[in-house]
Every structure is written in C-alpha cells, then in structure tokens.
Amino acid sequence: MTDTPLNPPDRHFDMAALGGDERYRLLASSIMPRPIAWVVTCDATGRVNAAPYSFFNMFGSNRPVVALGLLPRPDRPKDTAANILATGEFVVNLVPYALAEAMNQTCIDAPPGTDELDLAGLATKPSLAIRPPRITASPVAFECVLRHRIETGPGQLLIVGEVLHAHFAGHLLTGDPARPRIDADALDLVGRMHGPTAYTRTRDQFDLSRPVWQDSLPPKQGEPKEKLENDNG
C-alpha cells in the first residue's frame, strides 16, 4: 500500500503550451487582490463610455503614471481602448464598496456608443484638463493623458497614462492640509479576486514595519546592547 502524501507535488505550467483562457485563469486567480480602475473615456464625437479594469496600478510618481492592461474582444476592439487611442485621454475613478453594484452595471456587454454611466444611473462632473468627465460619486479620480501604448499581444494593449490632476473627496483627507494623508478606512475600496465574480474590500488589512538594516547588526565590540537600543529610539 502506497502512502498518500499530505500535500500534492508542485506543478509547472508552460505558458506557451496553454490556451489563452487557461493562462488567464491561472494568472488572474493568483495575482490578487487587484485594484480596479473605473475608466471613463470619450470617443471622437464626445460620446461617453465607462468600464472597470482590474489590470491596473500606479507605476511611478515622477512623472506620476498609471498603467492599464486592456485585453482584446473577439469581435471588435473594446470601446475603452478605441477611445484612448483616438483621443489620448481617460479618467481613472476608484471604486468604493458603496459603488460596487453600480460599477458592476457598467460591465455590461452593451453595443458601441452606449453610455454605461447613464445605464447605471451615475452622474458626472467635468474634468479640468481633458474631455472625459469624472464620476461624481467616486471618491478619487485621476485625469490622465496617454504617454505610451505597447501592443503586448494580438489586440492586447498596455496603456501608460500620466496623471494631470487628482481629485479626492474632502472626507478622505486628514492631518496637515499642506501634506494631507488619506484615510484608507474611509476610502473602503474594492478589488478583484479569483474567478468572474469574487471581490474583496481593502478594510481587511494588517501592518508590518519596514525593517532597518542597522537594527539587525550586533552591537559593536565594547558597546552595550542597551546603548544601541537607545540610539535606535
């Protein structure tokens, strides 16, 4: 009789040998939680489009840049991709838990030219420097202009945008008005998890202090340990 191992053996997946759906499932179900960019764009005629994307993050502060990963559609380019390439402008709105249902409404597979914000009953307000509007109820919005576009696969784009203006709801800002901090609990964002329906909230968190190299060194010869601890605060 063969003993059954407590843990199954590790497995290796050759990405080149897998289909696109299989690669997506493995990667998107393990790289999480993922922040959500609720992207508002306009086409060349000014028609508004909105859609959420979880292949998104900040990638620098000088210049301040964010990046979006836009996957292809089987039949036609996504409106978000087409609009950004046509106009070079987009707004990234962040999604708090209170707006999760409204955000989900804008995921609908509507025909081109549909105003998803109108379908979801969401009001907008003008941006300062670009044509696409901001979602009024969103607590944070970034006005962005296209700086780089990289085709990472057939119809698959990496969009890098520079943030021109950042808008924050007043109740999120705390401390010194000249150097405000963000109240993360008040922000209460949602992020994408595994599978097509799973989300999480950012209020489930814990703290870790960043280690300091000097603190890991033994005391110098002849120097009491207590002195070293006092010197470090």
Side-chain angles (χ1 to χ4, degrees), residues 13 18-31 34 194-195:
F13 295 91
L18 300 179
D21 289 346
E22 295 171 296
R23 289 192 290 264
Y24 179 92
R25 185 181 68 254
L26 288 171
L27 295 175
S29 294
S30 55
I31 301 173
R34 300 190 303 278
H194 58 282

Side-chain angles (χ1 to χ4, degrees), residues 37-92:
W38 204 359
V39 183
V40 177
T41 58
C42 291
D43 67 12
T45 66
R47 293 183 300 180
V48 175
N49 175 268
Y53 292 89
S54 66
F55 292 176
F56 156 69
N57 219 312
M58 165 190 171
F59 285 92
S61 59
N62 187 22
R63 301 178 173 180
V65 292
V66 296
L68 305 172
L70 305 181
L71 302 185
R73 248 191 192 139
D75 52 342
R76 57 183 170 83
K78 291 185 176 179
D79 291 341
T80 299
N83 292 350
I84 291 175
L85 295 181
T87 68
E89 299 179 340
F90 60 99
V91 176
V92 170

Side-chain angles (χ1 to χ4, degrees), residues 9 16 22 26 51 59 79 86 100 121 136 140 150 157 189 221:
E22 295 171 296
L26 288 171
F59 285 92
D79 291 341
T136 302
V140 180
I150 303 169
L157 291 174
L189 297 182
Q221 188 173 6

